[in-house]
Amino acid sequence: MAKQKSEKSERTIASNKRAYHEFFIDETFEAGVVLTGTEVKSIRVNGLSLKEAYVRIDGSEAWVLGVHIKPYAQASYNNVDPDRPRKLLLHKRQIRYLFEHVRQKGNTIVPIKVYYQRGRVKIEIGVARGKHVYDKRASIAKRDADRDLERNLKARAQ
């Protein structure tokens, strides 16, 4: 009997931890990304950066901007602009849903992580609300308290 692979065999390429620090993530969506061959090869070798990335809705299309993919060294003339806008592959109803949420004051769409799923590059995007400074401090305090609790439980178990 052959081994079956899990349905969600994912390998994370990059994650945007800053998004969780700066925003409350209300909902997440999975989207495909339109990439060239050299971009995919570069992602496999070098990875990519999501630091300043965000999603913009134009009419019936969604675009991710600010994602930096290093040029592939062996590609020579086939390389494209490393900071170019890349189209997201979503259903029309998902795009309409996202557009309605972005129209509300204080909401934005941010990329959370990029990963491979069954050999394809996928991006997880989230509808987010901005945090205030006091919210960020509360998040940091909660994280530190959880870390101390785990440390105490681990020490008690030994």
Side-chain angles (χ1 to χ4, degrees), residues 52-101:
E52 299 296 323
Y54 62 97
V55 176
R56 186 179 72 211
I57 307 288
D58 284 341
S60 62
E61 294 180 339
W63 297 85
V64 62
L65 294 102
V67 175
H68 181 80
I69 300 175
K70 292 180 189 173
Y72 188 56
Q74 289 80 16
S76 67
Y77 68 91
N78 287 330
N79 277 326
V80 293
D81 179 27
D83 296 318
R84 75 181 181 91
R86 291 165 181 92
K87 187 175 180 179
L88 294 179
L89 303 173
L90 291 162
H91 293 285
K92 284 183 182 180
R93 67 179 176 275
Q94 289 175 325
I95 293 173
R96 280 192 300 249
Y97 182 83
L98 290 170
F99 181 70
E100 289 300 319
H101 277 74

Side-chain angles (χ1 to χ4, degrees), residues 113-155:
K113 72 177 181 177
V114 178
Y115 55 93
Y116 291 113
Q117 185 175 33
R118 292 187 230 129
R120 309 238 189 247
V121 177
K122 301 287 185 175
I123 187 167
E124 184 177 320
I125 58 174
V127 177
R129 290 177 290 121
K131 284 186 180 179
H132 295 286
V133 175
Y134 54 84
D135 291 330
K136 293 177 192 176
R137 281 194 291 250
S139 296
I140 292 169
K142 182 181 182 309
R143 185 179 64 222
D144 290 343
D146 290 343
R147 193 175 297 147
D148 289 340
L149 181 66
E150 287 293 323
R151 206 175 291 134
N152 290 338
L153 290 174
K154 193 173 186 180

Side-chain angles (χ1 to χ4, degrees), residues 99-117:
F99 181 70
E100 289 300 319
H101 277 74
V102 171
R103 283 185 31 197
Q104 295 175 8
K105 187 175 181 181
N107 285 348
T108 186
I109 307 170
V110 293
I112 298 169
K113 72 177 181 177
V114 178
Y115 55 93
Y116 291 113
Q117 185 175 33

